[in-house]
Amino acid sequence: MFDEIRIEELEVFAKHGVFPEENTLGQKFLVNVCIKTDVSKAAAGDDIHSSVHYGNVCSYISEFMRNNTFKLIETVAERIAMGLLVKYDLIREISVEIKKPWAPIGLPVESVSVMVNRSWHRAFIALGSNMGDKNKYLNDAVSALDKADGCEVKKVSSFIVTKPYGNVEQDDFLNGVLELKTYLRPYELLDLLHEIENAAGRKRVRRWGPRTLDLDILLYDDIRMNEENLTIPHADMKNRDFVLTPLKEIAPYLVL
Ligand code: ROI
Protein backbone atom coordinates (compact mmCIF):
# COMPACT_ATOMS: atom_id res chain seq x y z
CA MET A 1 0.00 0.00 0.00
CA PHE A 2 2.71 2.51 1.01
CA ASP A 3 6.12 3.18 -0.47
CA GLU A 4 9.22 2.98 1.70
CA ILE A 5 12.14 5.27 2.43
CA ARG A 6 14.91 3.45 4.26
CA ILE A 7 17.91 4.61 6.24
CA GLU A 8 20.47 1.92 6.96
CA GLU A 9 23.17 1.78 9.64
CA LEU A 10 23.30 5.48 10.49
CA GLU A 11 26.18 5.75 12.95
CA VAL A 12 25.80 7.90 16.06
CA PHE A 13 28.14 8.16 19.05
CA ALA A 14 25.96 8.66 22.15
CA LYS A 15 25.61 7.85 25.86
CA HIS A 16 22.49 5.70 26.31
CA GLY A 17 22.72 2.70 28.61
CA VAL A 18 21.83 1.15 31.94
CA PHE A 19 25.46 0.94 33.12
CA PRO A 20 26.87 4.23 34.49
CA GLU A 21 30.03 3.94 32.39
CA GLU A 22 27.87 3.90 29.24
CA ASN A 23 26.47 7.29 30.27
CA THR A 24 29.93 8.81 30.68
CA LEU A 25 32.13 7.11 28.05
CA GLY A 26 29.52 6.70 25.34
CA GLN A 27 29.57 4.16 22.53
CA LYS A 28 28.64 3.60 18.91
CA PHE A 29 24.97 3.14 17.96
CA LEU A 30 23.63 2.10 14.57
CA VAL A 31 20.17 3.17 13.47
CA ASN A 32 17.90 1.66 10.83
CA VAL A 33 14.69 3.35 9.83
CA CYS A 34 11.88 2.36 7.50
CA ILE A 35 9.42 5.13 6.68
CA LYS A 36 6.12 4.21 5.04
CA THR A 37 4.79 7.04 2.95
CA ASP A 38 3.36 7.77 -0.48
CA VAL A 39 6.11 9.04 -2.79
CA SER A 40 3.98 9.30 -5.95
CA LYS A 41 3.48 13.07 -5.71
CA ALA A 42 7.19 13.72 -5.09
CA ALA A 43 8.13 11.33 -7.91
CA ALA A 44 5.69 12.90 -10.39
CA GLY A 45 6.94 16.43 -9.65
CA ASP A 46 10.55 15.37 -8.98
CA ASP A 47 10.26 17.59 -5.91
CA ILE A 48 11.89 17.05 -2.51
CA HIS A 49 9.28 19.26 -0.81
CA SER A 50 6.62 16.62 -1.46
CA SER A 51 8.70 13.90 0.17
CA VAL A 52 10.48 13.15 3.42
CA HIS A 53 14.07 14.39 3.16
CA TYR A 54 16.16 11.48 4.43
CA GLY A 55 19.10 13.79 5.13
CA ASN A 56 16.99 15.86 7.51
CA VAL A 57 15.68 12.70 9.13
CA CYS A 58 19.26 11.51 9.73
CA SER A 59 20.22 14.89 11.26
CA TYR A 60 17.15 14.79 13.53
CA ILE A 61 18.06 11.30 14.78
CA SER A 62 21.73 12.05 15.25
CA GLU A 63 21.05 15.27 17.15
CA PHE A 64 18.34 13.71 19.31
CA MET A 65 20.60 10.82 20.27
CA ARG A 66 23.59 13.01 21.05
CA ASN A 67 21.61 15.60 23.04
CA ASN A 68 19.74 13.16 25.30
CA THR A 69 20.71 10.28 27.56
CA PHE A 70 18.35 7.38 28.21
CA LYS A 71 18.90 4.09 29.97
CA LEU A 72 17.03 1.98 27.44
CA ILE A 73 17.35 1.73 23.68
CA GLU A 74 13.61 1.00 23.80
CA THR A 75 13.08 4.59 24.93
CA VAL A 76 15.47 5.97 22.32
CA ALA A 77 13.71 4.08 19.52
CA GLU A 78 10.20 5.00 20.64
CA ARG A 79 10.99 8.68 21.16
CA ILE A 80 12.55 8.93 17.70
CA ALA A 81 9.63 7.12 16.06
CA MET A 82 7.05 9.36 17.73
CA GLY A 83 9.06 12.54 17.15
CA LEU A 84 9.35 11.81 13.43
CA LEU A 85 5.67 10.88 13.08
CA VAL A 86 4.69 14.21 14.58
CA LYS A 87 7.31 16.23 12.67
CA TYR A 88 6.52 14.87 9.21
CA ASP A 89 2.89 14.84 8.13
CA LEU A 90 3.79 12.58 5.21
CA ILE A 91 5.00 9.70 7.41
CA ARG A 92 2.18 7.21 7.88
CA GLU A 93 4.13 4.41 9.56
CA ILE A 94 7.66 4.16 10.83
CA SER A 95 9.94 1.52 12.23
CA VAL A 96 13.09 2.51 14.10
CA GLU A 97 15.80 0.02 15.04
CA ILE A 98 18.55 0.98 17.48
CA LYS A 99 21.57 -1.35 17.54
CA LYS A 100 24.46 -1.43 19.99
CA PRO A 101 27.40 -3.24 18.41
CA TRP A 102 29.58 -2.61 21.49
CA ALA A 103 27.04 -3.42 24.22
CA PRO A 104 29.17 -4.02 27.37
CA ILE A 105 27.59 -7.30 28.41
CA GLY A 106 30.82 -9.25 28.83
CA LEU A 107 29.97 -11.77 26.14
CA PRO A 108 30.85 -11.94 22.46
CA VAL A 109 27.83 -10.70 20.55
CA GLU A 110 27.57 -9.17 17.07
CA SER A 111 25.10 -6.56 18.26
CA VAL A 112 21.95 -6.15 20.34
CA SER A 113 18.97 -4.14 19.13
CA VAL A 114 15.42 -2.98 19.67
CA MET A 115 12.97 -2.21 16.88
CA VAL A 116 9.73 -0.31 17.42
CA ASN A 117 6.91 0.20 14.94
CA ARG A 118 4.60 3.15 15.29
CA SER A 119 1.90 4.54 13.03
CA TRP A 120 -1.04 6.86 12.89
CA HIS A 121 -4.46 5.45 13.64
CA ARG A 122 -7.98 6.77 13.29
CA ALA A 123 -10.34 6.41 16.22
CA PHE A 124 -13.89 7.58 16.80
CA ILE A 125 -14.69 8.64 20.36
CA ALA A 126 -18.17 9.09 21.87
CA LEU A 127 -18.66 11.93 24.35
CA GLY A 128 -21.50 12.21 26.85
CA SER A 129 -22.44 14.27 29.89
CA ASN A 130 -25.59 14.53 31.99
CA MET A 131 -24.46 16.56 35.01
CA GLY A 132 -23.47 20.19 35.56
CA ASP A 133 -22.34 22.33 32.63
CA LYS A 134 -22.64 19.57 30.02
CA ASN A 135 -21.59 21.72 27.09
CA LYS A 136 -18.42 22.82 28.89
CA TYR A 137 -17.52 19.25 29.88
CA LEU A 138 -17.76 18.12 26.25
CA ASN A 139 -15.87 21.13 24.86
CA ASP A 140 -13.13 20.77 27.48
CA ALA A 141 -12.79 17.07 26.59
CA VAL A 142 -12.37 17.94 22.90
CA SER A 143 -9.56 20.39 23.67
CA ALA A 144 -7.89 18.04 26.18
CA LEU A 145 -7.80 15.33 23.51
CA ASP A 146 -6.50 17.72 20.88
CA LYS A 147 -3.70 18.84 23.22
CA ALA A 148 -2.66 15.35 24.34
CA ASP A 149 0.65 13.98 23.04
CA GLY A 150 0.19 11.98 19.86
CA CYS A 151 -3.41 13.07 19.36
CA GLU A 152 -5.12 15.42 16.95
CA VAL A 153 -8.88 15.97 16.78
CA LYS A 154 -9.85 15.94 13.10
CA LYS A 155 -13.65 16.37 13.28
CA VAL A 156 -16.26 17.04 15.95
CA SER A 157 -19.99 16.41 15.51
CA SER A 158 -22.74 18.69 16.75
CA PHE A 159 -23.68 18.04 20.35
CA ILE A 160 -27.23 16.70 20.69
CA VAL A 161 -29.59 16.47 23.66
CA THR A 162 -30.72 12.88 24.17
CA LYS A 163 -33.02 11.03 26.55
CA PRO A 164 -31.19 8.62 28.84
CA TYR A 165 -30.89 5.20 27.23
CA GLY A 166 -30.91 1.98 29.24
CA ASN A 167 -33.92 2.34 31.56
CA VAL A 168 -32.23 4.87 33.78
CA GLU A 169 -34.16 7.70 35.49
CA GLN A 170 -31.80 10.64 35.20
CA ASP A 171 -31.21 13.97 33.53
CA ASP A 172 -30.99 14.27 29.74
CA PHE A 173 -27.59 13.76 28.15
CA LEU A 174 -25.57 15.93 25.83
CA ASN A 175 -23.83 13.63 23.34
CA GLY A 176 -21.38 13.93 20.48
CA VAL A 177 -18.69 12.03 18.57
CA LEU A 178 -15.24 13.06 17.42
CA GLU A 179 -12.67 11.69 15.00
CA LEU A 180 -9.16 11.41 16.39
CA LYS A 181 -5.80 10.91 14.70
CA THR A 182 -3.52 9.22 17.20
CA TYR A 183 -0.38 7.18 17.56
CA LEU A 184 -1.56 5.81 20.92
CA ARG A 185 -2.43 2.12 21.05
CA PRO A 186 -5.97 1.17 22.18
CA TYR A 187 -5.05 0.69 25.87
CA GLU A 188 -2.95 3.86 25.95
CA LEU A 189 -5.90 5.73 24.44
CA LEU A 190 -8.24 4.19 27.02
CA ASP A 191 -5.94 5.37 29.83
CA LEU A 192 -5.91 8.88 28.37
CA LEU A 193 -9.73 8.92 28.19
CA HIS A 194 -9.90 7.86 31.85
CA GLU A 195 -7.47 10.62 32.83
CA ILE A 196 -9.62 13.22 31.05
CA GLU A 197 -12.80 11.83 32.67
CA ASN A 198 -11.17 11.96 36.09
CA ALA A 199 -9.99 15.52 35.55
CA ALA A 200 -13.64 16.39 34.85
CA GLY A 201 -14.50 15.09 38.32
CA ARG A 202 -16.05 11.83 37.07
CA LYS A 203 -16.99 9.55 39.97
CA ARG A 204 -17.70 5.89 39.24
CA VAL A 205 -20.34 5.43 41.92
CA ARG A 206 -22.56 2.96 40.11
CA ARG A 207 -22.77 1.49 36.62
CA TRP A 208 -24.83 3.66 34.28
CA GLY A 209 -25.07 6.36 36.99
CA PRO A 210 -25.16 10.09 36.09
CA ARG A 211 -21.79 11.40 34.97
CA THR A 212 -20.01 14.69 34.31
CA LEU A 213 -18.11 13.16 31.40
CA ASP A 214 -18.14 9.84 29.63
CA LEU A 215 -15.64 9.05 26.86
CA ASP A 216 -15.81 5.77 24.95
CA ILE A 217 -13.75 4.35 22.11
CA LEU A 218 -16.25 3.43 19.39
CA LEU A 219 -13.90 2.42 16.58
CA TYR A 220 -10.13 2.17 16.15
CA ASP A 221 -9.05 1.61 12.54
CA ASP A 222 -10.69 -1.67 11.52
CA ILE A 223 -9.65 -3.56 14.60
CA ARG A 224 -11.84 -5.91 16.56
CA MET A 225 -10.87 -6.73 20.11
CA ASN A 226 -12.74 -8.33 22.98
CA GLU A 227 -10.84 -8.00 26.19
CA GLU A 228 -11.84 -7.71 29.80
CA ASN A 229 -12.10 -3.92 29.92
CA LEU A 230 -12.00 -2.98 26.28
CA THR A 231 -14.25 -4.06 23.42
CA ILE A 232 -13.79 -2.46 19.99
CA PRO A 233 -16.04 -1.73 18.13
CA HIS A 234 -18.02 -0.58 21.18
CA ALA A 235 -20.26 -3.50 22.15
CA ASP A 236 -23.59 -1.63 22.19
CA MET A 237 -23.04 1.16 19.66
CA LYS A 238 -25.39 -0.24 17.04
CA ASN A 239 -28.29 0.16 19.50
CA ARG A 240 -27.42 3.70 20.53
CA ASP A 241 -28.89 6.47 18.41
CA PHE A 242 -27.09 8.98 20.59
CA VAL A 243 -23.85 7.55 19.14
CA LEU A 244 -24.97 6.65 15.61
CA THR A 245 -26.52 10.04 14.78
CA PRO A 246 -23.40 12.15 15.53
CA LEU A 247 -21.14 9.46 14.05
CA LYS A 248 -23.11 9.57 10.80
CA GLU A 249 -22.83 13.35 10.74
CA ILE A 250 -18.99 13.32 10.72
CA ALA A 251 -18.40 10.00 8.89
CA PRO A 252 -21.37 9.26 6.60
CA TYR A 253 -19.15 7.00 4.47
CA LEU A 254 -18.43 4.53 7.28
CA VAL A 255 -19.68 1.00 6.85
CA LEU A 256 -20.16 -0.53 10.26
N1 ROI B 1 -28.02 7.60 27.39
C1 ROI B 1 -27.80 8.66 26.59
N2 ROI B 1 -28.85 9.22 25.97
N3 ROI B 1 -26.56 9.16 26.39
C2 ROI B 1 -25.47 8.60 26.99
O1 ROI B 1 -24.33 9.10 26.77
C3 ROI B 1 -25.64 7.49 27.81
N4 ROI B 1 -24.59 6.86 28.43
C4 ROI B 1 -24.76 5.80 29.19
C5 ROI B 1 -26.11 5.20 29.48
C6 ROI B 1 -26.38 5.26 30.98
C7 ROI B 1 -26.11 3.77 28.98
N5 ROI B 1 -27.18 5.93 28.80
C8 ROI B 1 -26.96 7.01 28.01
O2 ROI B 1 -23.71 5.19 29.72
Side-chain angles (χ1 to χ4, degrees), residues 233-256:
H234 187 286
D236 197 34
M237 65 183 274
K238 62 180 183 304
N239 301 315
R240 299 182 173 194
D241 283 341
F242 64 86
V243 166
L244 296 178
T245 305
L247 180 60
K248 208 165 174 187
E249 181 193 336
I250 59 170
Y253 51 83
L254 272 187
V255 180
L256 300 176

Side-chain angles (χ1 to χ4, degrees), residues 57-77:
V57 172
C58 288
S59 306
Y60 175 91
I61 295 170
S62 181
E63 233 166 81
F64 178 83
M65 289 181 71
R66 285 181 285 111
N67 293 343
N68 294 280
T69 299
F70 296 105
K71 289 197 271 305
L72 304 182
I73 49 175
E74 286 85 338
T75 314
V76 179

Side-chain angles (χ1 to χ4, degrees), residues 2 34 71 94 104 120 139 158 161 178 187 198 223 240-242 246 248 250 255:
F2 291 119
C34 178
K71 289 197 271 305
I94 186 164
W120 287 117
N139 278 320
S158 319
V161 178
L178 62 79
Y187 272 104
N198 292 339
I223 71 162
R240 299 182 173 194
D241 283 341
F242 64 86
K248 208 165 174 187
I250 59 170
V255 180

Side-chain angles (χ1 to χ4, degrees), residues 39-247:
V39 304
S40 50
K41 192 166 166 235
D46 197 20
D47 177 17
I48 184 63
H49 299 107
S50 307
S51 191
V52 180
H53 190 316
Y54 46 72
N56 293 347
V57 172
C58 288
S59 306
Y60 175 91
I61 295 170
S62 181
E63 233 166 81
F64 178 83
M65 289 181 71
R66 285 181 285 111
N67 293 343
N68 294 280
T69 299
F70 296 105
K71 289 197 271 305
L72 304 182
I73 49 175
E74 286 85 338
T75 314
V76 179
E78 176 167 84
R79 296 279 293 261
I80 290 172
M82 289 171 168
L84 287 169
L85 269 181
V86 171
K87 192 170 156 68
Y88 291 94
D89 238 16
L90 287 168
I91 302 183
R92 301 296 300 270
E93 287 181 39
I94 186 164
S95 66
V96 175
E97 182 186 27
I98 306 288
K99 291 164 72 174
K100 268 181 170 180
W102 304 342
I105 57 170
L107 288 165
V109 67
E110 173 83 18
S111 92
V112 292
S113 68
V114 166
M115 173 140 98
V116 308
N117 302 293
R118 293 290 180 273
S119 55
W120 287 117
H121 303 278
R122 183 181 63 176
F124 288 92
I125 309 292
L127 307 98
S129 169
N130 75 336
M131 281 174 81
D133 191 342
K134 303 168 194 174
N135 196 56
K136 181 170 186 323
Y137 282 124
L138 297 200
N139 278 320
D140 286 355
V142 174
S143 40
L145 269 170
D146 196 44
K147 280 194 204 116
D149 281 349
C151 292
E152 193 186 324
V153 172
K154 302 300 274 187
K155 283 186 190 159
V156 186
S157 74
S158 319
F159 297 157
I160 52 171
V161 178
T162 65
K163 291 287 167 209
Y165 159 92
N167 273 336
V168 286
E169 271 293 310
Q170 45 185 264
D171 200 4
D172 285 353
F173 278 83
L174 194 63
N175 284 113
V177 167
L178 62 79
E179 180 189 329
L180 187 73
K181 180 180 170 191
T182 182
Y183 61 56
L184 301 181
R185 272 91 181 265
Y187 272 104
E188 293 171 324
L189 180 57
L190 184 67
D191 286 346
L192 172 65
L193 299 185
H194 286 159
E195 269 172 40
I196 297 173
E197 286 175 343
N198 292 339
R202 163 87 180 260
K203 305 261 182 319
R204 289 169 195 278
V205 184
R206 61 184 159 90
R207 188 165 185 247
W208 289 21
R211 68 278 312 270
T212 50
L213 180 64
D214 192 16
L215 299 172
D216 288 322
I217 303 174
L218 300 173
L219 301 165
Y220 182 101
D221 294 339
D222 289 332
I223 71 162
R224 298 179 141 271
M225 61 185 280
N226 286 283
E227 288 182 28
E228 199 174 328
N229 42 11
L230 188 56
T231 298
I232 302 176
H234 187 286
D236 197 34
M237 65 183 274
K238 62 180 183 304
N239 301 315
R240 299 182 173 194
D241 283 341
F242 64 86
V243 166
L244 296 178
T245 305
L247 180 60

